[in-house]
Amino acid sequence: MNAPASITITPILVADLSVEGEVMPVYVHVIDHPDARILVDTGMTELHPAVVAALDPRLYPLSKQDFDLAGIDIVVNTHLHADHCGGNHLFAGKPIYVQRREFDDAHSNEDEYPIREWVDAPGVRYVPVDGEFELLPGLRLLPAPGHTAGMQVVVVETGGRPVVVGGDVAVWHGELDEPTSEGQLLVCALDPELVWLAHEHEPWRPRAGRAELGGE
């Protein structure tokens, strides 16, 4: 299938976490495709003792923002950690794509996924996929294990170098500068123009790209 020429990606801040004394943002990403509006990850909408104790979050839930929840056609979970699936219930009845490995692990590993009620919120409808999957023309899901065994990213292709919506394939830019996990190596091998991450305000760009923009 031919990739559409126009696909836009919009980051939306949904929380700030406290990690080792530093503020770590949590972003979800809206992909506007000619055929559908896709939301990658859903953030959190409420506090939970396990999250408060570990991360002392400040929340800006999609449900409290000027955001058209009903306008979302498809949800993708990069993985099912609490800060990425805590808003899934807002999209009850909509298809939520997740890797089957991630779905299975979220139902068997209570230590890694302690807030089961967020994963299995009422009305949530998962579509488990096995491996690489074409979601729409120019949009494919790509397994990127590392942060979790079932982690996936969204690869956006419009004819040039791809753009990746990566969730936690890397938690900070330095992990893509010096990739070590299978997922990070896979993403870098795509030679992406940029990679949007859940916990960085700006997208990561390869070093050469940053140099051209007056960075390193």
Side-chain angles (χ1 to χ4, degrees), residues 148 166-167 211:
T148 70

Side-chain angles (χ1 to χ4, degrees), residues 15-166:
D16 285 316
L17 310 179
S18 178
V19 180
E20 297 180 353
E22 300 290 332
V23 175
M24 174 183 283
V26 179
Y27 282 91
V28 301
H29 293 85
V30 175
I31 302 175
D32 282 297
H33 184 283
D35 297 336
R37 198 168 204 225
I38 300 99
L39 179 66
V40 183
D41 291 328
T42 62
M44 295 184 286
T45 62
E46 60 186 282
L47 298 175
H48 184 283
V51 176
V52 171
L55 300 168
D56 188 24
R58 181 176 182 182
L59 305 183
Y60 320 107
L62 290 174
S63 52
K64 301 288 180 65
Q65 297 194 38
D66 182 16
F67 184 84
D68 181 15
L69 297 172
I72 295 297
D73 302 299
I74 297 169
V75 177
V76 174
N77 280 139
T78 59
H79 62 302
L80 292 172
H81 282 168
D83 56 329
H84 294 259
C85 77
N88 281 11
H89 67 96
L90 298 174
F91 304 95
K94 301 289 178 73
I96 300 179
Y97 287 81
V98 66
Q99 287 291 319
R100 190 179 305 276
R101 171 64 186 271
E102 185 72 11
F103 181 83
D104 290 345
D105 286 353
H107 290 86
S108 62
N109 186 340
E110 191 172 339
D111 291 335
E112 182 83 5
Y113 305 90
I115 312 178
R116 181 73 59 81
E117 61 267 32
W118 288 6
V119 175
D120 291 330
V124 169
R125 180 166 70 88
Y126 289 105
V127 181
V129 298
D130 297 297
E132 190 169 342
F133 179 81
E134 185 179 50
L135 188 63
L136 290 168
L139 284 187
R140 61 188 170 105
L141 308 181
L142 181 68
H147 185 71
T148 70
M151 176 83 199
Q152 67 179 354
V153 300
V154 182
V155 182
V156 180
E157 295 166 318
T158 58
R161 292 164 64 196
V163 172
V164 176
V165 182

